[in-house]
């Protein structure tokens, strides 16, 4: 029989996906396409998912939000380096992952992910780990937005331990870093992995708090910026910067890179790709421009709250 | 004192780069930007290069052709698995690499690379290996073009051994394969690596033959297709398919992926990126369209000559 905690996490994740997609659809005035999929019998992992995507809307050019829930017969050694007794146990992995690419260059791209891995050994207690976070990638920087986003992250974590925000904020800066450009992906946020501190109840409560904080962290920024007039210059810069998003996800993001290399569902993994991205050789921003300011003041390691 | 064979390869590579760039500039009516660079003292690899690029031309939207020549003090073990006695020897690596992204969707994207690695031990004879090849990635398939390109590859290799074309053609199909899409990148061509058969003279002659065949393999196709009228439909498909080029290069291409991860010169490595690429969710081509035909008849493993 299924562990009731697995059901509890699944219910929360599916509810979260529904709430987020509903709010984004309302802002955009466009419904998401809902694509339910299931792994074919005989594949190494079994499972199912619901991929929701809005393409070519007036506010969002591409907004993807996926839920997936997969089961495997044997936990790989890499998943449980600290608990060798769980290697080979049946497991379940589920999560919600989203990337929203807005049309207006003044609205930042956002990423959020909440996931759970449960080892379900035949004998003994199940073990649960949580991971995820959220981070913001502006094209034009606004102090107010960066502070708002980080405050929302901090508030979500505060009730679960005052040390969590600084730890997860630094982890996010470390993770979302383009080593080949010596650049942060954006202004950061929070990131955590393999989290089981305090056991299931405490760590799931923390996870819920992060997921439930997402709309409050992002939507006010969208609403504030989505109608700012812009022209070709801002569009060009946005498209160029989106190239960095592609580079990060395909070269450095472990979930994307190893997902593609190990037979994950390609179209769901690549929900994170922008609708359009541009490259040009050695583009440089003139001093004193807002484009240059993005590099100098925003996509750097910085304390925002 | 420098080994005269190293000088000989360098001269040929620089001459090849100049010839190719001159021919492409003439077709486009636009000069390449020439960017000479040098590794800073103290970096683990020493060396220099010349990056040439044409952006936003009438025929080529982005055409990059780079020459680089780097020296290291110690050959890494991974480079000489079959000759452990050379590990730790000084080495020199040089090559020309190009990717041309045309504007007209009826003109294919092309990639060519010729490279040499020399181990130069203090005692004993230097050892030379050659690698490279060329491959074609059409957006709209033409049997005539695919046959022409493969014939040119075959003719270049024929004088150096009748077994080379079938071997290098199959190697190319194996290499330029997007496992996460179960798709070939394009119609293939030839690919080889660690080639030293017959010693320096024979393998360098083969390499020269490949590099020197490039313009004859590609330019007639450009000239045949560059003025075919096209509209938004063809442009959309081209931009979407360019997304596959980005995916291949960032996820699967060893040179690109490891180059970025190991501190290579980012802007030179990413010469291969298209000026613009698009993504959309589960795009499918209707039966009977030329777009569907590309998948069914062209970007599959197939004998063209």
């Amino acid at each position: 029989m299924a562990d009731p905690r697995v059901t509890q996490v699944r219910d929360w994740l599916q509810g979260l996906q529904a709430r987020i997609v509903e709010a984004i659809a309302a802002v955009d005035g466009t419904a998401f396409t809902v694509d339910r999929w299931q792994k074919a019998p005989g594949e190494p992992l079994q499972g199912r998912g619901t991929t929701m995507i809005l393409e070519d809307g007036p506010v969002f050019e591409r907004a993807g939000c996926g839920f997936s829930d997969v089961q495997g017969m044997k936990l790989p050694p890499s998943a449980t380096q600290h608990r060798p007794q769980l290697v080979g146990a049946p497991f379940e992995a589920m999560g919600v992952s989203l990337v929203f690419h807005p049309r207006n260059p003044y609205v930042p791209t956002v990423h959020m992910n909440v996931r759970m891995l449960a080892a379900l050994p035949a004998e003994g207690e199940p073990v649960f780990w949580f991971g995820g976070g959220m981070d913001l990638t502006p094209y034009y920087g606004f102090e107010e937005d960066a502070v708002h986003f980080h405050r929302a992250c901090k508030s979500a974590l505060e009730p679960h331990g005052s040390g969590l925000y600084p730890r997860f904020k630094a982890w996010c800066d470390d993770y979302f870093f383009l080593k080949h450009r010596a650049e942060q992906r954006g202004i950061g946020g929070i990131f955590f992995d393999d989290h089981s501190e305090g056991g299931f109840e405490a760590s799931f409560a923390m996870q819920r708090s992060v997921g439930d904080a997402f709309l409050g962290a992002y939507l006010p920024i969208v609403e504030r910026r989505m109608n700012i007039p812009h022209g070709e210059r801002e569009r060009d810069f946005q498209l160029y910067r989106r190239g960095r998003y592609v580079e990060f996800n395909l070269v450095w993001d472990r979930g994307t890179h190893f997902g593609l290399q190990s037979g994950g569902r390609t179209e769901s993994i690549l929900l994170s790709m922008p609708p359009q991205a541009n490259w040009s050789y050695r583009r440089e921003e003139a001093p004193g421009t807002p484009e240059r300011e993005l590099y100098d003041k925003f996509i750097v390691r910085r304390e925002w709250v």
Side-chain angles (χ1 to χ4, degrees), chain A residues 96-100 108-115 132-137 149 172 175-176 185 188 190-191 214 218 245 248-249 253 272:
Chain A
V96 165
S97 188
L98 65 83
V99 173
F100 297 158
T109 287
V110 74
H111 162 249
M112 195 274 292
N113 172 234
V114 276
R115 56 182 184 268
M134 55 177 124
D135 69 287
L136 197 71
T137 306
F149 189 81
C172 187
Y175 186 82
F176 293 103
R185 175 163 93 169
I190 50 175
F191 181 90
F214 169 74
Y218 184 55
Y245 218 83
F248 180 83
N249 285 5
D253 186 61
S272 63

Side-chain angles (χ1 to χ4, degrees), chain A residues 218-247:
Chain A
Y218 184 55
L219 272 192
I221 298 172
V222 175
E223 283 160 354
R224 214 145 57 202
R225 310 297 169 201
M226 61 188 256
N227 294 314
I228 302 182
H230 61 276
E232 210 176 312
R233 168 187 171 150
E234 291 81 13
R235 177 67 174 169
D236 276 356
F237 187 57
Q238 178 197 43
L239 295 176
Y240 174 73
R241 290 288 315 162
R242 279 184 184 163
R244 298 292 210 276
Y245 218 83
V246 171
E247 292 174 19

